[in-house]
Amino acid sequence: MAILTDVLLWLHLLGVAMGVGGGIAMSRVAPKVIAAPAGERAQLWPLEKFLARVIAAGLGILLITGPLMLWLKFGGGAGLGWSFWAKMAFVAATTLGVGLGQWAGARLERGNENAAKLMSLSGPLTGISAVLAMLFAVITFN
Ligand code: HEM
């Protein structure tokens, strides 16, 4: 079982790396997409979408491996204390931020300029929530 849970933690940390790496790159690319005139936007979308996919895949890995570790290593979330629930709250906020970013990005690509504001909001929401989820993960599990 130790090997399985080691692999799950390794994947969990890879998920963190994908989210953080993709997110930092996205913090430079998304503002450029928003500011660019329509013609130039077309050239930036493939990079934006690639980064969005890396971020979503990282989050997906976290949301799959986390509950599996919880079940296999800790027998569920009960008894882990307040910091675990603080982590879960920031995981929910991170998931909301990623979802909002994907939704707003798709709307902007369809030409809805109002979506740019939501896209700009989703980045800091995701980044701040993810950093706090990591803090409470360390407080809980170390
Ligand atoms: C945004 C999503 C998430 C982030 C950024 C995140 C981050 C982290 C980090 C940095 C650690 C390492 C902490 C340490 O070893 O001290 C960790 C461990 C852990 N996470 Fe997450 N996590 C996320 C989602 C989840 C979810 C949804 C669950 C379960 C419902 C979960 C359950 C766990 C468990 C059980 C560990 C401990 C693994 C161990 O020590 O063996 N995580 N997480």
Side-chain angles (χ1 to χ4, degrees):
M1 229 38 160
I3 287 183
L4 176 58
T5 50
D6 281 354
V7 169
L8 287 172
L9 180 58
W10 173 62
L11 290 172
H12 205 68
L13 296 177
L14 278 179
V16 172
M18 288 166 73
V20 171
I24 289 171
M26 186 66 105
S27 76
R28 309 308 292 168
V29 172
K32 284 205 164 45
V33 171
I34 290 169
E40 281 172 37
R41 257 188 204 168
Q43 293 182 328
L44 289 166
W45 277 120
L47 178 57
E48 196 275 350
K49 283 185 189 165
F50 168 76
L51 294 173
R53 270 202 299 274
V54 170
I55 293 166
L59 179 65
I61 290 170
L62 287 165
L63 294 177
I64 292 167
T65 54
L68 282 173
M69 288 191 295
L70 204 60
W71 173 48
L72 293 170
K73 274 182 92 168
F74 299 93
L80 282 175
W82 66 272
S83 61
F84 174 71
W85 295 107
K87 172 178 169 172
M88 287 303 108
F90 287 114
V91 167
T94 305
T95 307
L96 194 75
V98 171
L100 190 67
Q102 301 266 347
W103 181 69
R107 281 184 24 149
L108 187 68
E109 198 187 7
R110 287 199 298 269
N112 187 334
E113 292 299 319
N114 292 331
K117 266 202 201 84
L118 278 181
M119 213 172 147
S120 309
L121 188 81
S122 70
L125 170 66
T126 309
I128 292 167
S129 306
V131 163
L132 289 172
M134 285 183 246
L135 174 66
F136 287 108
V138 172
I139 292 173
T140 306
F141 296 110
N142 261 295

